[in-house]
Amino acid sequence: MAATAIYSYAWLVPLALWVLLIAWSVLLLPVTAAVFVLLSRFSLFHPIQWISECTSLLTASSTIFSLVVLCGVVLITGLFNLEFYTLVPSIPCSRMALLGTVLHPRQCVHSLVYCTMGMLVMWCASVTIGGRYSTLGIPCRGSGFNNCIPVVTCLNEYHLFLLLAGAFMGYSHSFLGVVQNMYYVSFQPIQQYKYPRFKGCLPMVVKCSVIQSLYSARNFAALYFFFGYAPKTWISSTLHLQIDSSLQPLDSLTGLLDFSLLYHLTISGTFLYFTWYLTVLLFRIYVTEAYSFPVQSTFTEDAEQCLPKVLAETNTLVMKFFALQDLALLSQHSLSRRLEVFCLSQPGGHPHNWNAISRECLSLLSELTQRLVAHQDAVASNGRVKSQSASSDTRSASLSSSGKTPRLGVPLRTPGSVFKSSVGGVHSALTAPFTPDVDSPFSSPAIRRLVGQQEPRSPWFGTVQSPHIMRRGPKLWSASTGSSRFTVIPLHGLETPVNSCSCHTLNCSAQVKSFLAKRVLIVYLFNKLPEASSQALFADSQVHIWALQGLSHLVAASFSEDQFGVVQTTLPNILSCLVVLLEAVDRHFKLPHASSKPARAVCRMGDSTYKTLRFALRAALKTAIYKITTTFGEHLNAVNISTEHRKRLQQFLEFKE
Amino acid sequence: MRSAGAWRDAGLYGLLDEITNSAEEVPRFLAVGSACVLALLRWASSFHGSLFPHLTLSSDEMVAEFSQMLDWSDSALRSFAWHPHTDKFAVALLDDSIRIYKSNSSATPTLKHRCQRSVCALQWKPLCGSALAVACQSCLLIWHVDPTSLSTRPSSGCAQVLSHPGHSPITSIAWSPTGSLLVSASPVDTAMMVWDVAAESAVPLQRVGGGGVTYLSWSPDGSRLLAATPSALFRVWETRMWTCERWPCLKGSCQVRKLRKLSITVFELMYAFIYFFKLTFFSQTSWDPRGERLAVLLKVIAVFKTRSSPVFELLPCGFVMGEAGAEPRFMQFHPHFQHGALLTVCWSDGRISHVPFYFSSAGLLGGDSPQQALASNTADHSSNKLYTEQIS
């Protein structure tokens, strides 16, 4: 590692990354373009003509120009990757929060840019395919009386079709990016060099882009069939292009059932998605590459970039990730660096390295423990108050409990671009309400604006966040009668007095109906997604897993490698911290939905590793304790820990966990 | 409906077969078309198969060919695995169920699962009390058997199903010694899968040469992984950055079968190699965890004393024989027997016997004490009979 101070390093990494990434993507672009040209011009019966046409096309000036445009697209995609990627996924707790994320201004800009880029790519594709797709206006004969009518420009619907498809695919890419957490970057369980990893992932990317393109083509064809008329007339009226009535319109069944059109749509869509996915893939590969930090340095000016210092870094999240990953790797693979961790400082003889590393890991783990305990308390208090079935109490209790759910370790839990050393500012202030960190969606002004039709005094205000109450939604509505005792009054109880006035009956029932319908929609929107809160609690657990691995392997290695006994002093702390965390995790998995497995994702580019991080954390925790207990064996009896913890560790010694 | 079933069961082949066979029910052009495609596919695969003969085998035959258990298809015991830390072992039986026997408990949980067919390999997760990986014909199952539970039939909810398209049948699995990764291999798939079990995600590691991967084994320190292929080639992966070296095989093939015909002298040549890696990379050569006894499965089991310092020494020590007519099919040393070594042998008549070797470690005393063979009472027997063989 060069002698670069950590501050500049934090800037250099993204810059170097971006340059490398763009270079790779641009280099790969002509290859994919050539494949695209070959496929789009494919003709089975004239192979020689096909090849010669393609070679002449590849060297034509229009193709070169298209390539330049595509390079621009790749450049912007790379920029967006860099800006949007996150190591801690934002997990919306309800559909409303998801909707809020999709409608967020930042996301809107993203969608708009992707729509434009999709149109650009599709324009390049249609120019490359040529033939009937090449231009927006084509000469045609207007409707006249004689043959001497001048030739006018008509709208080429095929071209328009492809352009709109590009915009549609751009939007769906942007939309799915939010829904599937496309910008979440997860770390692989194993380390690989970049090229083999790229090679290994390439088939997956091709498969994903083909599948995604097929889906998009289907959806777009359906959309165009129903609403294709509107953009067509709009374009033709703005650009004063006529619609050639002699041609079959495309928004009809016969027009759409054109095999070559659908083929070209799919091929171009695949090309489009492949360009984007490839950039995402390259970005992931580059960003998750492991770094190696020196454990200690002989020069004081380099001390800032040594592992203990970087571990304590709270500003740049990505540095913390890299440092913990490096810790986990060195604890398993590198004897010499482990010895550096265990050594004493000169002069003074203090184990500064080990102390700093263990302190940092332990604080991470105890922070997770506190987070879990707070969550359990919140759930437990909700449950207790709910049993009293007094909605006013529920309101205050659930509000206060959501308020008191502590957000410890804020620097780790803030979503967004992690290279920004300061995560405050407009962006985080705006996205934070949509992330599950703030349990109550109502605490956010943005959401309140979104549901403006609902005044905050409404009976179900504040109670919607409890899934238990939500399930009894229709009953709760009656609470608006004012009596909190009658929460189970059925609806007809309310309608009976109204019946006395016959002229009001129709009116009222219509109101009730519309209100209920609204409520169903709102219930649907605000209902908590199962598992989401559990996923959100463990969203950043990759660092905890690395901390566990690093700690346990270091402690196990210290059994034979630690000459000065530096680990012995912290061993009781470490053991009790692990056992306390284990108890918290065990209790968490007893909560409803916590132990249900998410469905396996089929083939999608979005990374869903975050959905299973809690299982990974549990496994890593148990393995870590086992690693220590099997290494130390009977010697653990000499360690000074409390009786309950010793009992629990005895279970591990007997392999009964 | 039937075609969907055929597709699910046997993939494209099954679908085409089904369509061709039911020619009177489907349109003629479809039947003819599928017959043509099928013929084309068969021709292509026969060409491929001529390069890699094992690809022409059916799935069951392949499992039988590459299983660690000799004569797998007619063996009552399909697979066997000691727990790496406790006195507990799992046995896969002919009826595709798995039984778990513990030394101090009479409860023997029986594991059954819909996907658990043609069990080829079992392995307990290291540094874990409960997880057992099972290599099946179509998928990989991870059972979580609670060691404290008294239930004899854990529900299939206790099992995780891991599968990857094109990666079956699985003939070998290997947990990393730290228990964090699981690697699986299939003879038809040139990629081996590195599983993150908790996340149920796999990273394929593809190398084309060899036509598949049949056998995997980690070195005890976890730094290397051996992957044998059906052809005359095997690879040694280093597990830091997951790069591999190609090694040509010594005697032309890593196949288990051929080894039975090899003479002892060839083994002697191999020792240095085996010891260098501390790998028991041929299934039927088993080294005890202290590195002082080596068992070689021939028609009988030959046991050798080994010593690595000051020079490598190999002394014949004796033979283990079964009852009349019983042949050894599989053997494994107990991973942490305190008084020496404990060899567990699965015989062709469905018995499992435990053969203890009592000795003091050479490293401590500088010599072996006389061995004695005692009836072992440590574990239950699949046919409820215990016997041991006198070591001659």
Side-chain angles (χ1 to χ4, degrees), chain A residues 314-315 317 408-414 423:
Chain A
T314 47
N315 287 333
L317 182 53
L408 298 151
V410 175
L412 267 187
R413 301 196 45 75
T414 318
V423 262

Side-chain angles (χ1 to χ4, degrees), chain A residues 188-193 329 333 549 553 597 600 609 612 615-616 619 623 626-627 630 651 654-657, chain B residues 83 85-86 127-130 147-148 160-161 163 178 181 194 196 198-200 203 205 239-243:
Chain A
Q188 296 253 310
I190 58 171
Q191 302 292 311
Q192 272 180 287
Y193 287 110
L329 289 176
H333 295 290
Q549 285 177 351
H553 281 106
K597 296 255 173 192
R600 292 280 298 278
T609 319
T612 47
F615 302 106
T623 310
Y626 269 123
K627 180 86 194 167
T630 45
Q651 296 278 315
E654 289 165 10
F655 280 87
K656 288 199 168 150
E657 280 289 329
Chain B
H83 190 278
H85 306 287
T86 50
L127 298 180
C128 182
S130 60
T148 53
Q160 273 177 287
V161 182
S163 63
T178 55
L181 298 172
V194 182
D196 181 358
E200 302 193 2
V203 180
L205 291 175
T239 58
R240 172 94 174 75
M241 292 306 285
W242 289 91
T243 52

Side-chain angles (χ1 to χ4, degrees), chain B residues 167-249:
Chain B
H167 191 70
S168 66
I170 296 169
T171 57
S172 184
I173 45 178
W175 285 97
S176 69
T178 55
S180 52
L181 298 172
L182 174 67
V183 190
S184 70
S186 164
V188 291
D189 194 358
T190 50
M192 59 183 199
M193 297 287 160
V194 182
W195 293 92
D196 181 358
V197 171
E200 302 193 2
S201 64
V203 180
L205 291 175
Q206 185 125 25
R207 292 291 184 277
V208 177
V213 183
T214 54
Y215 181 70
L216 296 167
S217 175
W218 287 79
S219 66
D221 64 348
S223 66
R224 274 158 205 280
L225 173 76
L226 178 130
T229 65
S231 51
L233 172 78
F234 65 96
R235 296 193 174 82
V236 179
W237 292 82
E238 64 78 29
T239 58
R240 172 94 174 75
M241 292 306 285
W242 289 91
T243 52
C244 68
E245 290 171 53
R246 288 162 63 110
W247 290 64
C249 234

Side-chain angles (χ1 to χ4, degrees), chain A residues 371-651:
Chain A
R371 200 196 295 166
L372 289 177
V373 169
H375 179 75
Q376 282 148 18
D377 286 352
V379 171
S381 65
N382 260 350
R384 179 173 51 76
V385 178
K386 255 182 287 165
S387 61
Q388 295 175 358
S389 86
S391 62
S392 56
D393 281 3
T394 315
R395 183 194 311 164
S396 59
S398 53
L399 275 181
S400 66
S401 72
S402 68
K404 90 184 165 206
T405 306
R407 290 292 127 216
L408 298 151
V410 175
L412 267 187
R413 301 196 45 75
T414 318
S417 181
V418 286
F419 275 127
K420 292 196 177 126
S421 50
S422 129
V423 262
V426 184
H427 140 243
S428 102
L430 277 169
T431 45
F434 301 108
T435 62
D437 294 8
V438 185
D439 271 357
S440 156
F442 285 97
S443 63
S444 118
I447 297 273
R448 231 175 270 151
R449 249 182 283 121
L450 286 171
V451 287
Q453 76 271 24
Q454 204 58 58
E455 87 276 30
R457 285 294 102 200
S458 95
W460 46 274
F461 168 67
T463 58
V464 281
Q465 51 192 313
S466 141
H468 182 73
I469 298 289
M470 291 316 294
R471 255 176 263 130
R472 311 185 303 188
K475 291 174 190 165
L476 264 177
W477 175 76
S478 60
S480 66
T481 53
S483 161
S484 60
R485 288 278 150 205
F486 296 114
T487 47
V488 281
I489 291 183
L491 278 176
H492 60 78
L494 193 74
E495 280 175 295
T496 326
V498 181
N499 270 340
S500 57
C501 180
S502 59
C503 62
H504 273 190
T505 311
L506 274 176
N507 201 1
C508 279
S509 64
Q511 268 183 0
V512 167
K513 266 182 197 162
S514 68
F515 187 44
L516 272 184
K518 237 191 273 172
R519 282 174 52 80
V520 168
L521 178 69
I522 286 166
V523 164
Y524 175 78
L525 282 179
F526 282 102
N527 214 344
K528 268 205 169 184
L529 297 172
E531 295 180 45
S533 61
S534 200
Q535 285 174 15
L537 270 177
F538 291 93
D540 62 340
S541 279
Q542 187 63 61
V543 286
H544 303 119
I545 293 171
W546 281 328
L548 283 169
Q549 285 177 351
L551 262 190
S552 63
H553 281 106
L554 279 177
V555 169
S558 77
F559 190 69
S560 55
E561 292 169 11
D562 178 12
Q563 298 166 350
F564 308 109
V566 296
V567 176
Q568 278 180 21
T569 53
T570 38
L571 191 57
N573 267 343
I574 293 175
L575 282 174
S576 56
C577 177
L578 292 184
V579 173
V580 169
L581 179 59
L582 181 68
E583 280 164 0
V585 168
D586 278 350
R587 270 204 302 278
H588 180 82
F589 273 91
K590 294 208 173 81
L591 297 179
H593 295 305
S595 53
S596 56
K597 296 255 173 192
R600 292 280 298 278
V602 225
C603 181
R604 48 166 63 169
M605 203 53 200
D607 203 324
S608 59
T609 319
Y610 64 91
K611 289 182 180 166
T612 47
L613 268 181
R614 57 183 187 279
F615 302 106
L617 179 94
R618 183 172 60 169
L621 178 59
K622 286 197 176 176
T623 310
I625 299 179
Y626 269 123
K627 180 86 194 167
I628 295 175
T629 53
T630 45
T631 314
F632 282 83
E634 294 303 316
H635 300 288
L636 279 182
N637 293 330
V639 180
N640 182 23
I641 44 173
S642 71
T643 328
E644 309 97 79
H645 292 174
R646 193 181 299 282
K647 244 182 226 163
R648 195 73 202 259
L649 286 180
Q650 192 59 36
Q651 296 278 315

Side-chain angles (χ1 to χ4, degrees), chain A residues 180-182 184-187 284 604-610:
Chain A
Q180 301 177 355
N181 264 318
M182 183 100 66
Y184 163 60
V185 178
S186 72
F187 287 79
R284 282 184 190 165
R604 48 166 63 169
M605 203 53 200
D607 203 324
S608 59
T609 319
Y610 64 91

